[in-house]
Structure formats: C-alpha cells, structure tokens
Amino acid sequence: MAVQNIAPTKSNLLAVKEQLAVSVNGYELLEEKREILVRELMRLLERVKLLERGIDKLIAEAYPAFKKMLMQEGSDQIERISHAVSYDFGIQEKKVVIGGMAFSTMDIEQPKKELFYSMIGTHANTDITINKFLELLSLLTQMASIRTIVWRLAGEVKKTQRRVNALDKMIIPQAHETKAYIESVLEERERDNVFVLKALKKKHKKE
C-alpha cells in the first residue's frame, strides 16, 4: 500500500492522524449499519418465504376451486358473474423505516367482501372460489410490496459493504502507513538534529 503523496511535516502528521481517527470511526459506524441492514434483510426474506408458502397453498386451492366452479356454473354464467363483481382497491405510497433508513413502497388496501350476484342459481363453491382469489390477490400484493423493499435494502447493503471494504482495505491501511512514514522521517530528523547539536557542543568545548 503506497503512502499518501504529502510532505512529512508535523502539521501533515496531525492531519493524517485526524483522517485516520475519522476513517476508523466511520468504518465502525458503517460496519454497524451493515450488520443492522443484513439482519433486517434476513428478517424480510423469512417473511418472503412465509408468503411464498401461503401463495403456493392458495394457488393449489384456488385454481381447482375455479375449475370446479367452471364445471358447475358454465362459462356463460361465470362471465355474467365476472361483470357483476366490482371491487375498488385503494393504492397509496407508504414510507417504511428499516434500519434507520426510509423506503418507499405501495400499500394496497383490500376492499370489503360483498355479494354482487344473486345466491339463486349459483353454487356455494362460487363464493369460495372468489374468496380464495381475493385472499391470493392480498398475498400477492403483500409479496410485491416486500420484494420491493428487499430489492432496495439489498442494494443499500451492497453499497454499504463497498464503503466498508474501501475503508478497511484501502483508506485506513494507507493512513496507517502514511502516519508511520511521517513519524519515521520526523524521528530521523530529530536524531540528526540531536547528533548535530552534540557535535557542535563537542566542537565548542574543544575551542
């Protein structure tokens, strides 16, 4: 690791010591931040896994229910029901603070379940099927929201890791070496000055 290209003076030594102290403090803070972000990322990934299992379970229930509904009601009746069903979903931006950082995500408000068609001429499985798909939609919107945060959080972890590595592998070692170099030069100068003073005193005594 090459030392910084600066003159070996006492003022520069003080400046390098200050830079080193700031860099070490910054490294410790960034490392702490990275650990917090990684923990939060792992926690969110566990939520993603749970949601994935829930989605898989609902898919395994909803599509067979829809197939049964199709057989019971017929395609024409299903089309009439689909035109009758009308839900409004509220969508708004939401701020989430994770690890001391704010992330923007979309919050989707699920509508209340209503009956848009007559119970006469329809089967109970029709209600079950619609409810299953509403539940599936709810989980899918949650998944989309969490995945957005996970993606951004992973990017922040990567960026923080790069800064930690730069401090640990480059900036701090270079500051250490520059400090040691300046100290060695100053010590050498001090020894030379002492030697010169002793030589002058010795010469003065002889005279």
Side-chain angles (χ1 to χ4, degrees), residues 104-117:
S104 295
T105 184
M106 302 304 293
D107 188 27
I108 301 178
E109 183 181 351
Q110 296 291 331
K112 293 181 179 179
K113 296 176 182 178
E114 299 180 47
L115 186 64
F116 293 97
Y117 51 88

Side-chain angles (χ1 to χ4, degrees), residues 2 4 22 35-36 40 51 59 62 67 82 87 128-129 141 180:
Q4 297 177 35
V22 170
E35 290 176 358
I36 292 172
E40 291 295 334
L51 281 171
I59 288 175
K67 185 177 180 180
S82 68
Y87 284 108
I128 294 173
T129 302
T141 54

Side-chain angles (χ1 to χ4, degrees), residues 91-195:
I91 302 176
Q92 60 182 358
E93 185 178 6
K94 182 175 69 174
K95 296 292 184 181
V96 179
V97 178
I98 299 176
M101 301 187 63
F103 296 90
S104 295
T105 184
M106 302 304 293
D107 188 27
I108 301 178
E109 183 181 351
Q110 296 291 331
K112 293 181 179 179
K113 296 176 182 178
E114 299 180 47
L115 186 64
F116 293 97
Y117 51 88
S118 173
M119 296 179 64
I120 300 173
T122 58
H123 296 80
N125 184 63
T126 300
D127 298 334
I128 294 173
T129 302
I130 292 174
N131 288 336
K132 290 290 182 185
F133 276 97
L134 284 174
E135 289 175 21
L136 180 59
L137 181 60
S138 176
L139 290 187
L140 288 173
T141 54
Q142 290 179 50
M143 174 67 84
S145 179
I146 292 177
R147 279 189 178 275
T148 300
I149 297 174
V150 166
W151 180 77
R152 293 176 180 171
L153 193 58
E156 191 62 35
V157 169
K158 188 176 180 180
K159 184 167 66 175
T160 303
Q161 185 63 59
R162 284 200 302 267
R163 292 175 179 173
V164 168
N165 289 342
L167 286 167
D168 186 40
K169 306 298 182 183
M170 295 176 59
I171 297 174
I172 292 176
Q174 186 181 54
H176 272 299
E177 291 192 21
T178 302
K179 172 177 170 288
Y181 164 71
I182 294 176
E183 286 175 340
S184 67
V185 171
L186 293 178
E187 288 172 2
E188 184 64 27
R189 287 177 183 172
E190 187 68 25
R191 284 194 295 268
D192 290 343
N193 290 336
V194 170
F195 177 78

